[in-house]
Amino acid sequence: MSKKIVFSDDKNIFVISKSKTSNKKISDGKPLVQTYTFSREQYHLATTSKGFGMKKFFALDGSNCMDCKFSGNQGAGGCYTHKFNQYVGFLSMLRSIKIEQLTPITISKVVEIVDLSRDTYVRFGTYGEPSLMPLSMVKRMSDVASNWTGYTHQHNKEFAQGYKDFFMASTHTDEEATDRASDGWRSFIALEKGSHSSAISCPASKEAGFVSNCSKCSLCSGATGKGKKINIYYLLKTNG
């Protein structure tokens, strides 16, 4: 049985959901907690209009995806979430949220979210920038989770520095990863095809033979999780 908790701020809507996934790369079928961050503009579009298309929806991700090079608002797009099945799922999720649910985070909601995460794999940032969630809540979720993964493109911003304990810096070259390591970040290096890295290949990737899945591996869990100083790389299929 799935469950979701919703909260919002001036610009974004946050959904913390617990359910099963059929994606074997992510999980072995057990329920997991996933976090989503949508812009209010995306919510308004999804709940008031029809027939607008993927490009228009993802172009409204300025507040929730910020300056990620694969975001729709940056022009090129290419994020791995920019696929039809995910897009349809996002619309369904947003349309299931009632306007009265769009209230700020409260202590009682944090307690619910932490309880939802207990002894469960947590996938931070299934969609949207996870460092926009309260750091104290991320810490509490990680403390009770069986394991977790998370990534951020905001690793060079001052506001995001506390998240290095829990998330990987999303980088694109060994040189960038080395630079981020000087500030205490571990990196998940998304490489263009034909590129090479001294990091280890993602165990849930085709290159590594799918020897594990994200929920079991959890190497992408920041400075306080698994892997210590190890960086991970993944070969991009397209742009993101």
Side-chain angles (χ1 to χ4, degrees):
M1 183 176 180
S2 62
K3 181 177 181 180
K4 69 176 183 289
I5 300 165
V6 178
F7 64 94
S8 65
D9 60 21
D10 289 341
K11 295 182 178 180
N12 296 309
I13 294 165
F14 303 85
V15 181
I16 317 298
S17 173
K18 186 171 186 177
S19 61
K20 292 184 178 181
T21 176
S22 59
N23 189 336
K24 294 181 180 180
K25 179 181 179 297
I26 295 170
S27 176
D28 56 5
K30 295 178 182 178
L32 70 154
V33 169
Q34 301 189 84
T35 78
Y36 304 80
T37 307
F38 300 98
S39 71
R40 280 184 175 264
E41 292 175 296
Q42 289 176 321
Y43 175 77
H44 180 75
L45 182 69
T47 55
T48 62
S49 305
K50 291 184 178 180
F52 42 79
M54 289 174 58
K55 187 173 182 180
K56 186 173 182 179
F57 177 82
F58 288 118
L60 298 177
D61 63 5
S63 63
N64 59 311
C65 293
M66 305 174 76
D67 59 359
C68 169
K69 64 179 290 186
F70 301 127
S71 63
N73 76 85
Q74 294 294 301
C79 175
Y80 70 93
T81 66
H82 293 185
K83 294 182 175 66
F84 185 73
N85 285 347
Q86 281 94 327
Y87 163 69
V88 170
F90 296 159
L91 294 184
S92 177
M93 179 176 285
L94 288 171
R95 288 168 177 163
S96 73
I97 298 171
K98 298 178 181 178
I99 192 73
E100 56 265 29
Q101 292 179 273
L102 303 184
T103 57
I105 189 71
T106 61
I107 292 175
S108 61
K109 284 188 177 183
V110 171
V111 170
E112 282 188 83
I113 291 166
V114 172
D115 189 56
L116 208 63
S117 306
R118 195 175 304 280
D119 301 322
T120 303
Y121 165 55
V122 177
R123 188 184 182 210
F124 290 106
T126 298
Y127 177 66
E129 175 52 54
S131 66
L132 292 170
M133 296 190 300
L135 177 59
S136 59
M137 187 182 80
V138 169
K139 182 180 186 306
R140 290 183 63 182
M141 292 170 70
S142 302
D143 283 344
V144 301
S146 57
N147 42 48
W148 74 90
T149 56
Y151 313 85
T152 176
H153 271 94
Q154 303 306 308
H155 46 80
N156 61 339
K157 308 290 177 51
E158 185 61 35
F159 83 88
Q161 295 311 300
Y163 295 84
K164 71 183 68 169
D165 286 343
F166 311 103
F167 303 156
M168 307 291 280
S170 290
T171 58
H172 303 282
T173 64
D174 276 6
E175 290 74 21
E176 188 182 7
T178 298
D179 177 71
R180 303 318 301 136
S182 67
D183 286 331
W185 288 89
R186 292 175 58 223
S187 283
F188 182 85
I189 310 167
L191 294 176
E192 299 289 345
K193 281 194 172 183
S195 301
H196 301 280
S197 174
S198 59
I200 69 167
S201 180
C202 167
S205 69
K206 179 179 179 181
E207 293 73 39
F210 301 110
V211 295
S212 189
N213 60 52
C214 296
S215 64
K216 288 181 179 178
C217 171
S218 298
L219 282 175
C220 294
S221 48
T224 59
K226 296 181 179 180
K228 306 301 179 184
K229 295 182 179 180
I230 295 173
N231 289 331
I232 316 297
Y233 81 85
Y234 183 86
L235 287 177
L236 297 174
K237 294 179 177 62
T238 52
N239 293 324

